[in-house]
Amino acid sequence: MQRNPITIEVLQILDAIERRGSFAKAAEEMNKATSAVSYAVQKLEEQLDIALFQRQGRRSVLTPSGQLILDEGREIVQATTRLASKAKEVATGWETHISIAIESLKPYPVFFTVLNDFLKEHPSIEIDVSESVLNGGWEALEQDKADLIVGSPGPVPLQKGYRAIPLASVDLLPVIASHHEFADLIVQPENIEMLLPKVRRVITHDTSVTDIRRSAGLSNEGRRFYVQTIDQKLEAILAGIGIGHLPRLRVQQYIDNGQLRQLPLIEGPVWDNFIAWKISNKGKGLQALTQKIIAELG
């Protein structure tokens, strides 16, 4: 059987060249001589009898054949990386990688402080953090895009094999920018019901793709303005685009300095939320990290 000339190393070389834009920069990243990188590419081209790169000015640009090998090769490299991580996990019980999806309403300073403390104790574990909204966290957990979700709202999906523990509720405040055209009127209790439908709502998108999406917060009446993250929502409201609920921890400073004003609604929503993972996930790193997060956010 003829030996396959496409090796993991040459795929990594192609990836570095494409990302860095030159053979020299790729060689520097991989701690190799430029001649060694050039030879590896030239040898692969000769064995496959195709051109992988073409010159465009000072840059080395992939040919269509080279792009195909790179795209498919990146998946192979990622698969081998996951395989190595799984093998190490099986041998030691400690993961090399933990992916976390955190609900956008949770207090980030506390969360990242916990992660920093955890990494000081376990520096070899790689952490991958993404932001989720509403059903997006549960979907990420189900599809193995996240090993752990933090702050995803209830109800907890049933019969999915999840272990879910409640975290401290999030206090949400309905706010409006002080310079908004309706600010002086809508903050008066006698005007709130009449004016509320006339003011645009700022709403964060549910990051769920396949599950039924949902929204939360103020009444669905009136115009809407959609954003991707809670930080974008805060900035949109500060700019005067509309009104919406935001966590007290995120907005109290703006209320105190007069940039935002709280709407006189009788009760703001209480955000019941959970930390959750799959029961089948027995990783020691996940267990240790979960205990730290619960201790701080639970």
Side-chain angles (χ1 to χ4, degrees), residues 190-291:
E190 63 271 18
N191 295 331
I192 187 71
E193 291 187 10
M194 177 185 67
L195 292 177
L196 199 58
K198 299 180 181 180
V199 184
R200 184 182 289 108
R201 271 77 167 150
V202 181
I203 301 171
T204 48
H205 273 297
D206 188 333
T207 53
S208 171
V209 176
T210 59
D211 290 339
I212 297 175
R213 297 187 179 191
R214 56 173 167 160
S215 61
L218 293 166
S219 165
N220 289 328
E221 299 177 16
R223 296 167 295 170
R224 304 180 185 183
F225 182 87
Y226 289 96
V227 293
Q228 293 292 330
T229 68
I230 203 68
D231 290 326
Q232 291 178 357
K233 183 175 183 178
L234 171 59
E235 293 300 328
I237 294 176
L238 283 170
I241 290 176
I243 59 177
H245 282 99
L246 287 168
R248 180 184 294 276
L249 290 174
R250 297 277 187 103
V251 301
Q252 190 61 57
Q253 61 177 316
Y254 300 103
I255 295 175
D256 293 341
N257 67 23
Q259 289 182 263
L260 293 177
R261 300 175 73 176
Q262 185 175 346
L263 300 179
L265 298 178
I266 297 176
E267 292 183 1
V270 175
W271 190 265
D272 293 326
N273 60 103
F274 299 83
I275 182 172
W277 63 95
K278 288 185 176 179
I279 297 174
S280 58
N281 191 333
K282 305 294 186 181
K284 293 180 180 179
L286 179 70
Q287 295 174 18
L289 178 57
T290 299
Q291 291 174 4

Side-chain angles (χ1 to χ4, degrees), residues 15-72:
D15 173 69
I17 296 171
E18 195 273 338
R19 286 187 293 101
R20 300 300 300 274
S22 74
F23 283 58
K25 290 182 179 179
E28 179 182 353
E29 177 181 309
M30 301 189 70
N31 196 27
K32 292 178 177 291
T34 304
S35 58
V37 170
S38 298
Y39 175 75
V41 174
Q42 182 181 356
K43 183 178 180 181
L44 181 60
E45 289 179 323
E46 292 175 352
Q47 290 174 314
L48 296 177
D49 194 23
I50 60 174
L52 298 176
F53 287 92
Q54 59 188 6
R55 300 291 296 182
Q56 286 187 3
R58 296 183 177 181
R59 287 180 59 87
S60 298
V61 181
L62 286 163
T63 63
S65 296
Q67 189 65 55
L68 173 64
I69 291 177
L70 177 63
D71 291 341
E72 297 288 340

